[in-house]
Amino acid sequence: MRRRTDESHLSAYVDEMLSGPEMRTVAAEARLDESTAAKLAHLRQVVQALREAPEPSPPADFWPQVYRRVRQVALAEARRSRWRRTLATAGGSLLLVAALAALAKWLLRLG
Amino acid sequence: MAGWWRQPQARVEQDLAVFEELVARYERQAYRVAYRLTGNHEDAQDLLQEAVCEAFRSFARFERGTRFDRWLYRIMTNRQIDRVRRESRQPVLSLDQVDAGDGTWEVADDHADPGDVLVEDLLDERLQAALNALPREYREAVVLVDMEDLSYEEVARVLRCPIGTVRSRLHRGRMLLREALTVADQGPQ
């Protein structure tokens, strides 16, 4: 009994994404089986229709609007980053003071 | 002190310049993908604006030297998944149905000979309506492979799924599209 090709192989065949032996298997299947040949033809038509679909275009003010929005995001990021740095520096300073105080206390106890 | 305060601003400005240059390079492709994924200009613009802003916020994680458009597509498809889940306004469609554009739904005739119908000269509206009727996963694979010319490997990376999954989604998507376009071509009986 002849083994039928996995259906998804047909799309991969149209895209030439199969290995050499797989390509030959599908080609042989298409020669022997009319329905496989018809499916391949239909797949090619669909692919062609998709490739030839017209290019959709946004209104002229779309991209300037997007870049303005991105700039707003960038400014907010910069502000956040600044406050993160400030808080981190303040936190670090507090830790340093606490460590120095502990050291001073220990030294006084030794003395 | 003022320099220390301005440092984050300067870094963000630098990132912004690089980022804007990259986006500008892929404006057309990005808009095309957004439009084909959402099916209309309004949603495409919302999706793309959200995705571009998110891309900028995550720009530090973008691997320099890799394809920026592929990275942006990944953000767009993730965003689109979120939008569809959030809005839940897309009707649940049978795979055998396609919107005929007049508010009615036509059911594919399994007995019709599909070979008689050519789809080469289809109007874009019909094509987009058929794309809209596809399950989201199939639509993503079809748009990225057939309209954006990504390889299966690239689509697998964008959609974060195995190549075999890409292949089967693409094939099912194409077969459903053909069926939908055939029905649209035959018109109401």
Side-chain angles (χ1 to χ4, degrees):
Chain A
M1 196 177 89
R2 189 157 47 86
R3 192 177 70 81
R4 287 187 71 82
T5 310
D6 168 15
E7 278 269 311
S8 71
H9 273 57
L10 299 181
S11 272
Y13 175 80
V14 168
D15 295 332
E16 299 181 7
M17 296 291 278
L18 295 176
S19 65
E22 287 173 319
M23 290 290 284
R24 284 192 288 279
T25 304
V26 178
E29 173 92 24
R31 274 196 301 275
L32 294 169
D33 180 16
E34 272 181 27
S35 77
T36 301
K39 275 182 189 164
L40 287 175
H42 298 145
L43 283 170
R44 288 197 176 99
Q45 287 173 341
V46 168
V47 171
Q48 193 180 342
L50 288 164
R51 298 228 159 112
E52 289 172 357
E55 174 98 16
S57 302
D61 63 344
F62 173 68
W63 282 108
Q65 205 177 304
V66 170
Y67 291 122
R68 267 200 302 279
R69 180 82 191 97
V70 171
R71 288 200 161 265
Q72 286 169 359
V73 170
L75 283 175
E77 287 291 306
R79 263 198 301 274
R80 253 198 300 278
S81 176
R82 226 180 267 152
W83 281 113
R84 267 199 298 269
R85 279 161 58 93
T86 307
L87 287 173
T89 308
S93 305
L94 279 175
L95 275 177
L96 186 65
V97 168
L100 285 174
L103 182 67
K105 202 172 162 186
W106 180 70
L107 286 173
L108 282 173
R109 212 179 288 159
L110 274 185
Chain B
M1 185 65 189
W4 178 88
W5 183 251
R6 276 194 219 108
Q7 229 175 24
Q9 173 93 30
R11 208 185 47 239
V12 167
E13 288 284 345
Q14 277 173 3
D15 281 352
L16 189 61
V18 176
F19 181 80
E20 285 185 349
E21 195 187 315
L22 284 168
V23 174
R25 204 180 295 170
Y26 297 108
E27 278 177 2
R28 281 180 55 210
Q29 295 94 314
Y31 190 79
R32 202 163 51 215
V33 171
Y35 178 74
R36 296 300 176 191
L37 289 181
T38 58
N40 65 74
H41 286 286
E42 195 185 332
D43 286 343
Q45 286 162 29
D46 286 348
L47 170 66
L48 193 47
Q49 177 150 312
E50 284 174 19
V52 169
C53 288
E54 187 181 324
F56 181 74
R57 284 191 203 98
S58 317
F59 195 44
R61 289 202 291 275
F62 169 64
E63 265 179 69
R64 306 295 157 109
T66 60
R67 292 283 302 257
F68 179 77
D69 55 342
R70 275 47 173 169
W71 185 68
L72 186 58
Y73 295 163
R74 188 189 300 169
I75 294 173
M76 283 164 65
T77 51
N78 287 339
R79 274 267 159 182
Q80 178 62 1
I81 293 168
D82 292 344
R83 285 166 63 88
V84 170
R85 280 189 190 139
R86 203 171 50 230
E87 293 166 7
S88 302
R89 67 182 182 201
Q90 285 202 331
V92 177
L93 303 174
S94 154
L95 301 187
D96 295 331
Q97 290 176 310
V98 62
D99 185 357
D102 57 1
T104 63
W105 296 91
E106 293 166 0
V107 179
D109 178 1
D110 291 337
H111 304 291
D113 179 5
D116 292 339
V117 184
L118 289 176
V119 290
E120 287 162 1
D121 55 349
L122 284 165
L123 293 172
D124 186 45
E125 293 79 33
R126 228 163 17 162
L127 185 63
Q128 188 60 51
L131 268 174
N132 293 352
L134 288 183
R136 179 185 47 76
E137 293 88 350
Y138 298 176
R139 185 164 64 236
E140 288 167 352
V142 166
V143 167
L144 293 175
V145 172
D146 288 336
M147 300 183 121
E148 294 309 311
D149 217 19
L150 267 67
S151 69
Y152 291 7
E153 287 84 358
E154 286 175 316
V155 177
R157 276 198 295 274
V158 168
L159 302 180
R160 294 176 194 262
C161 65
I163 288 179
T165 306
V166 171
R167 196 156 81 171
S168 65
R169 285 180 186 175
L170 178 67
H171 180 70
R172 286 177 197 160
R174 283 173 176 173
M175 293 306 281
L176 287 170
L177 267 182
R178 191 196 63 75
E179 199 174 305
L181 293 171
T182 303
V183 171
D185 221 32
Q186 287 167 341
Q189 299 297 309

